[in-house]
Amino acid sequence: MSNVSKLITGTLLFLLGQILVWYQINGQFLSEWSKKHPLIMSLLGIPISYVYIVATDHLVTAFNGELWPQRLIGFSMGMIAFAFLTWFHLNQAITPKTATTLALAFTIVLIQVFWK
């Protein structure tokens, strides 16, 4: 698997992990079942952790052993997932402040990928 495919796979896995975490911790605001069963919801942490471990492996490999890029890409994927899902499910608008933060998160990804 090439570094580019590792980069794409790792980034998408981080995005998936962030989406799953969003539902895990915010499901209580979407469903009474989730609100009444926090212990069961917390057990989702096991497969989610596995997704993060695999994502980390892919991105560290893509960046030739460097750890910082995967952390910043993971953070940025979290910002993007959080903003979209919070808007989509909870109708909380993306304010100019949030839009600026998202643009910065996207810029972080671009810096990590393209700055050699």
Side-chain angles (χ1 to χ4, degrees), residues 64-83:
N64 301 312
E66 291 185 40
L67 205 55
W68 273 108
Q70 68 78 30
R71 177 63 188 110
L72 295 168
I73 290 171
F75 164 76
S76 297
M77 292 300 102
M79 292 295 298
I80 292 165
F82 185 91

Side-chain angles (χ1 to χ4, degrees), residues 17 20-25 37-53:
L20 293 172
V21 165
W22 191 94
Y23 284 108
Q24 178 191 31
I25 62 177
H37 298 94
L39 184 58
I40 294 171
M41 293 300 291
S42 71
L43 294 175
L44 291 172
I46 294 168
I48 292 169
S49 293
Y50 181 74
V51 170
Y52 283 137
I53 290 168

Side-chain angles (χ1 to χ4, degrees), residues 16-105:
L16 173 63
Q18 295 287 3
I19 290 168
L20 293 172
V21 165
W22 191 94
Y23 284 108
Q24 178 191 31
I25 62 177
N26 296 305
Q28 62 186 319
F29 306 116
L30 303 175
S31 138
E32 279 300 313
W33 185 91
S34 294
K35 188 173 192 164
K36 290 179 182 177
H37 298 94
L39 184 58
I40 294 171
M41 293 300 291
S42 71
L43 294 175
L44 291 172
I46 294 168
I48 292 169
S49 293
Y50 181 74
V51 170
Y52 283 137
I53 290 168
V54 174
T56 298
D57 179 59
H58 278 56
L59 287 177
V60 169
T61 300
F63 287 98
N64 301 312
E66 291 185 40
L67 205 55
W68 273 108
Q70 68 78 30
R71 177 63 188 110
L72 295 168
I73 290 171
F75 164 76
S76 297
M77 292 300 102
M79 292 295 298
I80 292 165
F82 185 91
F84 176 77
L85 292 169
T86 302
W87 165 77
F88 183 78
H89 286 295
L90 301 174
N91 297 317
Q92 292 186 16
I94 295 177
T95 63
K97 178 171 73 172
T98 301
T100 301
T101 304
L102 289 172
L104 290 170

